[in-house]
Amino acid sequence: MRPEFIVPAVFITIVVSAWLIGTYNKFIKYQNRIEEAWSSIDVALKRRFNLIPNLVSAIKGYSEHESEIFENKTTQMKPSNSMDDRIESESQLTHSLSGLLAVAEAYPDLKASVNFLELQKSLAEIETDIQSARHRYNGYVAHLNTLVESFPASLIAAKFGFQKQNYFSLDLATQRELPEVGFGDGGSAKA
């Protein structure tokens, strides 16, 4: 090799190597951040799950039938390692929890109970934590997915097995659906 080509070849090799290492490290960084964010979600979900027996016992005296149904559903839930299975079971739990809170709405004495109000406040705080952790998680997933699909980083992703991740979505028990607002005759909305 001619001496005038050695310096540019070394320079190009160093630049390409630095880019490869930097891009690989970005993949690792986002994978680790996704794992950390999922851990935060998992902790908040466990806190929510641990709060449920207290909610059930607070409601039990007012509505024995509904709380027994809810209690049976929650005891049947099994922990899962699969994120898709976990999302499905948490969605079922959220639906049941929403139903339980709806039952509580029918009992004015229960709604005025200090214990129940504290439990409801704790649930709202936990679900705020879940939303915050979900937002962080989905942000990291977006960064990783963009990197996996971007050229030339996609070449590194294919070589080292980095794949797109799924976003995490979960309705929360304390979310209220917005009422339909109608205009015109009879108060119904027309499209």
Side-chain angles (χ1 to χ4, degrees):
M1 184 178 254
R2 296 173 68 181
E4 62 266 10
F5 293 120
I6 291 176
V7 172
V10 168
F11 177 74
I12 289 172
T13 303
I14 290 172
V15 168
V16 169
S17 297
W19 176 82
L20 287 171
I21 291 169
T23 303
Y24 178 83
N25 287 338
K26 279 184 187 178
F27 280 111
I28 297 299
K29 174 178 78 172
Y30 288 123
Q31 275 191 328
N32 289 337
R33 287 184 177 176
I34 287 170
E35 288 175 18
E36 181 271 330
W38 176 251
S39 177
S40 296
I41 291 170
D42 192 42
V43 167
L45 291 173
K46 286 176 184 175
R47 284 179 42 221
R48 181 176 80 160
F49 189 78
N50 291 335
L51 182 68
I52 291 170
N54 295 331
L55 279 169
V56 170
S57 65
I59 293 173
K60 201 171 231 173
Y62 291 89
S63 177
E64 191 72 32
H65 174 70
E66 287 90 345
S67 63
E68 282 179 13
I69 291 171
F70 183 75
E71 198 167 23
N72 290 338
K73 283 184 184 178
T74 58
T75 55
Q76 292 171 358
M77 293 185 64
K78 298 173 185 144
S80 173
N81 292 336
S82 163
M83 186 172 156
D84 291 335
D85 290 344
R86 181 70 185 271
I87 291 171
E88 177 63 30
S89 65
E90 290 296 334
S91 293
Q92 291 172 359
L93 180 64
T94 297
H95 180 70
S96 297
L97 191 54
S98 295
L100 188 66
L101 292 174
V103 166
E105 293 290 323
Y107 299 96
D109 292 343
L110 176 61
K111 287 185 352 183
S113 164
V114 173
N115 184 34
F116 181 74
L117 291 174
E118 284 298 317
L119 290 170
Q120 211 170 15
K121 180 182 174 189
S122 294
L123 179 63
E125 289 170 359
I126 290 169
E127 291 198 338
T128 299
D129 292 345
I130 292 170
Q131 285 291 67
S132 174
R134 183 186 66 84
H135 181 70
R136 255 192 355 266
Y137 176 87
N138 286 341
Y140 294 138
V141 166
H143 287 295
L144 180 71
N145 289 349
T146 300
L147 202 56
V148 166
E149 293 180 325
S150 299
F151 182 80
S154 60
L155 300 174
I156 293 174
K159 173 73 176 163
F160 292 103
F162 295 107
Q163 298 177 351
K164 285 180 63 173
Q165 301 290 316
N166 293 327
Y167 292 97
F168 178 71
S169 65
L170 179 68
D171 293 331
L172 299 177
T174 55
Q175 284 179 329
R176 302 276 187 212
E177 290 190 26
L178 295 175
E180 287 187 31
V181 177
F183 298 100
D185 297 338
S188 63
K190 296 183 181 179

